[in-house]
Coordinates of all heavy atoms in Angstrom, one line a residue:
N1 N -80.3 -38.9 -56.8 CA -81.7 -39.3 -56.5 C -82.3 -38.2 -55.8 O -82.0 -37.8 -54.7 CB -81.6 -40.6 -55.7 CG -83.1 -41.1 -55.5 OD1 -84.1 -40.4 -55.6 ND2 -83.2 -42.4 -55.1
P2 N -83.4 -37.6 -56.4 CA -84.1 -36.4 -55.7 C -84.6 -36.8 -54.3 O -84.7 -35.9 -53.4 CB -85.2 -36.1 -56.6 CG -84.8 -36.7 -58.0 CD -84.0 -37.9 -57.7
A3 N -84.9 -38.0 -54.1 CA -85.5 -38.4 -52.8 C -84.4 -38.5 -51.7 O -84.7 -38.4 -50.5 CB -86.2 -39.8 -52.9
K4 N -83.1 -38.6 -52.2 CA -82.0 -38.8 -51.2 C -81.1 -37.6 -51.1 O -80.3 -37.5 -50.1 CB -81.2 -40.1 -51.6 CG -82.0 -41.4 -51.4 CD -81.0 -42.5 -51.7 CE -81.8 -43.8 -51.6 NZ -80.9 -45.0 -52.0
K5 N -81.1 -36.8 -52.1 CA -80.1 -35.7 -52.1 C -80.3 -34.7 -51.0 O -81.4 -34.5 -50.5 CB -80.2 -34.9 -53.5 CG -81.2 -33.9 -53.6 CD -81.0 -33.0 -54.8 CE -81.9 -31.8 -54.8 NZ -81.8 -30.9 -56.0
I6 N -79.2 -34.2 -50.5 CA -79.3 -33.2 -49.4 C -79.6 -31.8 -49.9 O -79.2 -31.5 -51.0 CB -77.9 -33.2 -48.6 CG1 -78.0 -32.3 -47.4 CG2 -76.8 -32.6 -49.6 CD1 -76.7 -32.4 -46.5
E7 N -80.5 -31.1 -49.1 CA -81.0 -29.8 -49.6 C -80.8 -28.8 -48.4 O -80.8 -29.3 -47.2 CB -82.4 -29.9 -50.0 CG -82.6 -30.6 -51.3 CD -84.0 -30.6 -51.8 OE1 -85.0 -30.6 -51.0 OE2 -84.2 -30.4 -53.1
F8 N -80.7 -27.6 -48.7 CA -80.4 -26.5 -47.7 C -81.5 -25.5 -47.7 O -81.9 -25.0 -48.7 CB -79.0 -25.9 -48.1 CG -77.9 -26.9 -48.1 CD1 -77.6 -27.6 -49.2 CD2 -77.2 -27.1 -46.9 CE1 -76.6 -28.6 -49.2 CE2 -76.1 -28.1 -46.9 CZ -75.8 -28.8 -48.1
D9 N -81.8 -25.0 -46.4 CA -82.8 -24.0 -46.2 C -82.3 -22.7 -46.6 O -83.1 -21.8 -47.0 CB -83.2 -23.9 -44.8 CG -83.9 -25.2 -44.3 OD1 -84.5 -25.8 -45.1 OD2 -83.7 -25.6 -43.1
A10 N -80.9 -22.5 -46.6 CA -80.3 -21.2 -47.0 C -79.0 -21.5 -47.7 O -78.2 -22.4 -47.3 CB -80.1 -20.3 -45.9
V11 N -78.8 -20.9 -48.9 CA -77.5 -20.9 -49.6 C -77.0 -19.5 -49.7 O -77.7 -18.7 -50.2 CB -77.7 -21.6 -51.0 CG1 -76.3 -21.7 -51.7 CG2 -78.2 -23.0 -50.9
V12 N -75.8 -19.3 -49.3 CA -75.1 -18.0 -49.4 C -73.8 -18.2 -50.1 O -73.1 -19.2 -49.8 CB -75.0 -17.3 -48.1 CG1 -76.3 -16.8 -47.5 CG2 -74.3 -18.2 -47.1
A13 N -73.3 -17.2 -50.9 CA -72.0 -17.4 -51.5 C -71.5 -16.1 -52.1 O -72.2 -15.2 -52.5 CB -72.1 -18.4 -52.6
N14 N -70.2 -16.0 -52.0 CA -69.4 -14.9 -52.7 C -68.3 -15.6 -53.5 O -67.1 -15.5 -53.1 CB -68.8 -14.0 -51.6 CG -67.9 -12.9 -52.2 OD1 -68.0 -12.5 -53.4 ND2 -67.0 -12.4 -51.4
P15 N -68.6 -16.2 -54.6 CA -67.6 -17.0 -55.4 C -66.7 -16.0 -56.1 O -67.1 -14.8 -56.2 CB -68.5 -17.8 -56.4 CG -69.7 -17.0 -56.5 CD -70.0 -16.3 -55.2
P16 N -65.5 -16.5 -56.6 CA -64.6 -15.6 -57.3 C -65.3 -15.0 -58.6 O -65.9 -15.8 -59.3 CB -63.4 -16.5 -57.6 CG -63.9 -17.9 -57.4 CD -65.0 -17.9 -56.4
F17 N -65.2 -13.8 -58.8 CA -65.9 -13.1 -59.9 C -65.2 -13.5 -61.3 O -64.0 -13.5 -61.5 CB -65.8 -11.6 -59.8 CG -66.5 -11.1 -58.5 CD1 -66.0 -9.9 -57.9 CD2 -67.5 -11.7 -57.9 CE1 -66.5 -9.4 -56.8 CE2 -68.1 -11.3 -56.8 CZ -67.6 -10.1 -56.2
S18 N -66.1 -13.8 -62.3 CA -65.7 -14.1 -63.6 C -64.5 -15.0 -63.7 O -63.5 -14.8 -64.4 CB -65.4 -12.8 -64.4 OG -66.6 -12.0 -64.4
Y19 N -64.6 -16.1 -62.9 CA -63.5 -17.1 -62.8 C -63.4 -17.9 -64.1 O -64.4 -18.4 -64.6 CB -63.8 -18.0 -61.6 CG -62.8 -19.1 -61.3 CD1 -61.6 -18.9 -60.7 CD2 -63.2 -20.4 -61.7 CE1 -60.7 -19.9 -60.5 CE2 -62.3 -21.5 -61.4 CZ -61.1 -21.2 -60.8 OH -60.2 -22.2 -60.5
R20 N -62.2 -18.1 -64.7 CA -62.0 -18.9 -65.9 C -62.0 -20.4 -65.5 O -61.3 -20.8 -64.6 CB -60.7 -18.5 -66.6 CG -60.7 -17.0 -67.1 CD -59.5 -16.8 -68.0 NE -59.5 -17.6 -69.2 CZ -60.1 -17.2 -70.3 NH1 -60.8 -16.0 -70.3 NH2 -60.1 -17.9 -71.4
W21 N -62.8 -21.1 -66.2 CA -62.9 -22.5 -65.9 C -62.9 -23.4 -67.1 O -62.8 -22.8 -68.2 CB -64.1 -22.9 -65.0 CG -65.4 -22.8 -65.7 CD1 -65.9 -21.8 -66.5 CD2 -66.5 -23.7 -65.6 NE1 -67.2 -22.0 -66.9 CE2 -67.6 -23.2 -66.4 CE3 -66.7 -25.0 -65.0 CZ2 -68.7 -23.9 -66.6 CZ3 -67.8 -25.7 -65.2 CH2 -68.9 -25.2 -66.0
K22 N -62.9 -24.7 -67.0 CA -62.8 -25.6 -68.2 C -64.1 -26.5 -68.2 O -64.1 -27.6 -67.8 CB -61.5 -26.5 -68.1 CG -60.3 -25.6 -68.2 CD -59.0 -26.5 -68.0 CE -57.8 -25.6 -68.0 NZ -56.6 -26.4 -67.8
P23 N -65.2 -26.0 -68.9 CA -66.4 -26.7 -69.0 C -66.1 -27.9 -70.0 O -65.7 -27.6 -71.1 CB -67.4 -25.8 -69.5 CG -66.6 -24.6 -70.1 CD -65.3 -24.6 -69.4
T24 N -66.4 -29.1 -69.6 CA -66.2 -30.3 -70.5 C -67.5 -30.9 -70.9 O -68.6 -30.5 -70.4 CB -65.4 -31.3 -69.7 OG1 -66.2 -31.7 -68.5 CG2 -64.1 -30.8 -69.2
E25 N -67.5 -31.8 -71.8 CA -68.7 -32.5 -72.3 C -69.4 -33.3 -71.2 O -70.6 -33.4 -71.1 CB -68.3 -33.5 -73.5 CG -68.0 -32.7 -74.8 CD -67.7 -33.7 -75.9 OE1 -68.1 -34.9 -75.8 OE2 -67.0 -33.3 -76.9
E26 N -68.5 -33.8 -70.3 CA -69.0 -34.6 -69.2 C -69.8 -33.6 -68.2 O -70.8 -34.0 -67.7 CB -67.8 -35.2 -68.4 CG -68.2 -36.1 -67.3 CD -67.0 -36.7 -66.5 OE1 -65.9 -36.4 -66.9 OE2 -67.3 -37.4 -65.5

């Protein structure tokens, strides 16, 4: 729900590069 979801003034990240994952239909 957009009215209830938590939001952040700043988002920073250094995620693993070109990480292999399993995108599903869900």
Side-chain angles (χ1 to χ4, degrees):
N1 184 339
K4 292 182 180 178
K5 82 168 186 180
I6 188 169
E7 292 185 321
F8 299 88
D9 295 329
V11 178
V12 288
N14 174 25
F17 301 149
S18 300
Y19 179 76
R20 293 188 70 83
W21 72 311
K22 295 177 181 177
T24 61
E25 287 182 21
E26 187 182 354

